[in-house]
């Protein structure tokens, strides 16, 4: 019995001059996609995560398991429908208060990416801000006076 297996290789290219490099390999089998994303060249202490730009928005794949040499990766399983929506795979991490996206690669035909919007969404995932409690502007209840 022959199994229908499809493999996709994505080269993650540097978005700016740096030392990072990586690739992703996806294997489709039995309606599921096994995604292996591998990176190297990250500085100690950086905690990168794997993300994807999809037709419906941002998909957080998960944190990369990094070693002390700056090498790491993630093995994730996606549904076939999730994988088919992916247009760009990328790696991002927080550098202080700003989001850094050192690596990205197109899947299939890719798309135009609004990186400012993507970085804002990544910031919300990697650095969640606590929701401020709504302020109660209603006046305090009046105290009842006891009859004299």
């Amino acid at each position: 019995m022959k199994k229908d297996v499809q493999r996709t290789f994505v080269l993650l290219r540097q978005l700016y001059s740096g030392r990072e490099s990586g690739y992703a390999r996806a294997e489709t089998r039995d309606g599921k996609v096994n995604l292996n994303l591998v990176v190297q060249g990250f500085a100690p202490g950086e905690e990168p995560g794997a993300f994807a730009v999809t037709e419906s928005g941002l998909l957080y794949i998960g944190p990369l398991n990094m070693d002390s040499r700056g090498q790491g990766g993630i093995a994730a399983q996606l549904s076939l429908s999730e994988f088919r929506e992916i247009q760009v795979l990328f790696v991002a991490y927080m550098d202080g208060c700003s989001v850094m996206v050192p690596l990205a690669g197109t899947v299939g035909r890719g798309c135009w990416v609004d990186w400012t919007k993507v970085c804002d969404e990544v910031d919300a995932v990697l650095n969640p801000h606590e929701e401020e409690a709504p302020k109660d502007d209603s006046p305090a209840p009046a105290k009842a006076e006891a009859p004299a």
Side-chain angles (χ1 to χ4, degrees), residues 36-49:
N36 291 307
L37 191 142
V38 178
V39 298
Q40 63 184 10
F42 283 83
E46 292 175 347
E47 298 175 356

Side-chain angles (χ1 to χ4, degrees), residues 38-103:
V38 178
V39 298
Q40 63 184 10
F42 283 83
E46 292 175 347
E47 298 175 356
F51 295 86
V53 174
T54 69
E55 295 171 3
S56 57
L58 182 75
L59 173 65
Y60 179 48
I61 298 170
L64 301 181
N65 299 316
M66 303 299 291
D67 66 13
S68 61
R69 297 172 296 170
Q71 300 174 350
I74 185 170
Q77 191 170 61
L78 305 170
S79 70
L80 187 57
S81 61
E82 283 177 319
F83 184 71
R84 285 185 176 157
E85 281 193 9
I86 293 176
Q87 297 170 328
V88 176
L89 282 172
F90 67 95
V91 175
Y93 66 93
M94 294 299 297
D95 184 20
C97 294
S98 60
V99 174
M100 302 298 292
V101 182
L103 300 171

Side-chain angles (χ1 to χ4, degrees), residues 129-137:
H129 305 288
E130 292 183 24
E131 294 287 327
E132 289 186 26
K135 293 182 181 178
D136 185 14
D137 291 336

Side-chain angles (χ1 to χ4, degrees), residues 119-137:
C119 286
D120 289 343
E121 293 176 6
V122 169
D123 182 41
V125 171
L126 295 180
N127 192 20
H129 305 288
E130 292 183 24
E131 294 287 327
E132 289 186 26
K135 293 182 181 178
D136 185 14
D137 291 336

